[in-house]
Amino acid sequence: MSSSQPDRLSDHLDLPLPRFLVAAYGPTLLASLGYGAVIPMLAIQALALGASHATAAFIAALVGIGQVVGDLPAGAVAARFGERRSLAGACLVDAALLISVFFTHHVWLFGVIVFAHGLTGSVYGLARQTYLTVAVPEKWRARAMSSMGGVMRVGYLVGPLLGALIVHRHSLAFIFLVAGAMSASAAVVTLAMPDTPTAGATGAGAEVSVRQVLVAHRHVLLSVGWGILALMLVRTARQVFIPLWCSAHGIDAANTNLIFAVSMAAEVLLFFPGGVITDRAGRWWATVPTMVIIGACFLALPATQAAWTIAALSFLLGVGNGVSSGIVSTLGADVSPDVGRPQFLAGWRIFGDVGAAIGPLVISLVTALASLAASALVLGAIGWAGAVHLARVLPRHGPLPPSTPSR
């Protein structure tokens, strides 16, 4: 950006700073509380409905598959309706889906609901990223995005603790009822706020098709995007692998939630320092070390059996994720063009969401062909391969330049 860019975050906003913080982070906190309780329980709920370990991993993967399918339509939705209405609508639909799990007793129907949950997540995530990309100056971008990731991680930390309490007092399915109520609350908060600062800018580029934008900016998408795919693959695989590994070693659902909370605690502690590192030292220093740490943890997991050793490696996985909190959104914001930004970010998110979908599928496939432990080794190798790729394409210092149309 130019040197005339505001030095203070509040100078860049149409809303007073406190109202902006509520609009930007409030719905995410509420929704994440429910998601945090649900995420580690997707595979466990599938097992409770009679699925095998491989099938349970596949059902958990349907979240990511739904996000991939919904990414490009989400770009068109956000460009047409704006962020506020897109966010609220996604939350309301998701609330209905999560609540319906409480009344579901068939594995196939649960899988359909999980897939639809992924569809709503693509709209929600795209609208939220577009909002912060425009609303926050570049010099604060990584801290704003990491704070968004940090708010999500607070929800993912408190959510499993809430889930453990619910399992003790009610039932596993009751967790989804509470998560639905959280999503409905997020929709109410979103609707109560003024429209986002991006509404006018979004409308200006609404007539540009998603295909036109993606073709014009294919070079940056195809270079950095593969590293983002690997990063999100191992990140999401962790959320499925840890509960399955705990189940395979006789650890109950309540203690599995507590182990997952240990990982989230590390992420909550490090999300803002990670944003500072990313803004000041450069995107490379938050991304490449993350991939190295996550890869090493997956390679070590097959040697663990006791709850405390699994919890220790979960904590280290949380360290890696915490340092890189918001990095995918930050890199996407760096390279996004002014015209067709929602459509570009829809394409950008496909790489991350494809990775998120493939991660659990890797676990499912390798577990079916070999073993659960073998899937951890494969994930570790993917993490290190992604580190090598990102080390080559990311600059050592500063942000990536905005994308320009390819000829």
Side-chain angles (χ1 to χ4, degrees), residues 69-88:
V69 172
D71 273 335
L72 295 184
V77 169
R80 180 176 179 84
F81 298 106
E83 288 79 9
R84 185 172 70 94
R85 285 187 289 176
S86 298
L87 285 167

Side-chain angles (χ1 to χ4, degrees), residues 268-343:
V268 169
L269 290 173
L270 292 172
F271 77 84
F272 194 76
V276 174
I277 292 171
T278 307
D279 271 332
R280 295 183 177 178
R283 284 34 172 166
W284 193 97
W285 296 100
T287 309
V288 176
T290 287
M291 297 293 283
V292 172
I293 292 172
I294 294 176
C297 288
F298 270 117
L299 293 173
L301 269 168
T304 64
Q305 293 183 357
W308 73 268
T309 56
I310 298 173
L313 282 179
S314 294
F315 178 82
L316 291 177
L317 284 167
V319 170
N321 276 283
V323 170
S324 64
S325 174
I327 191 61
V328 174
S329 295
T330 300
L331 291 171
D334 288 342
V335 298
S336 63
D338 290 335
V339 177
R341 178 173 281 113
Q343 296 92 325

Side-chain angles (χ1 to χ4, degrees), residues 91-176:
C91 287
L92 286 174
V93 173
D94 198 57
L97 291 169
L98 291 171
I99 290 171
S100 68
V101 173
F102 183 75
F103 306 98
T104 299
H105 305 288
H106 301 284
V107 172
W108 67 267
L109 182 57
F110 178 61
V112 171
I113 293 170
V114 171
F115 175 78
H117 171 69
L119 292 176
T120 62
S122 63
V123 176
Y124 182 87
L126 186 280
R128 182 186 61 202
Q129 184 181 8
T130 305
Y131 184 108
L132 287 182
T133 297
V134 176
V136 177
E138 183 184 287
K139 67 180 294 183
W140 292 89
R141 179 174 291 159
R143 275 165 279 192
M145 295 294 185
S146 68
S147 294
M148 176 64 74
V151 168
M152 293 175 62
R153 283 158 172 78
V154 169
Y156 294 161
L157 169 62
V158 178
L161 298 174
L162 178 64
L165 180 63
I166 291 172
V167 168
H168 273 303
R169 295 192 174 185
H170 299 282
S171 66
L172 183 60
F174 197 82
I175 293 176
F176 293 87

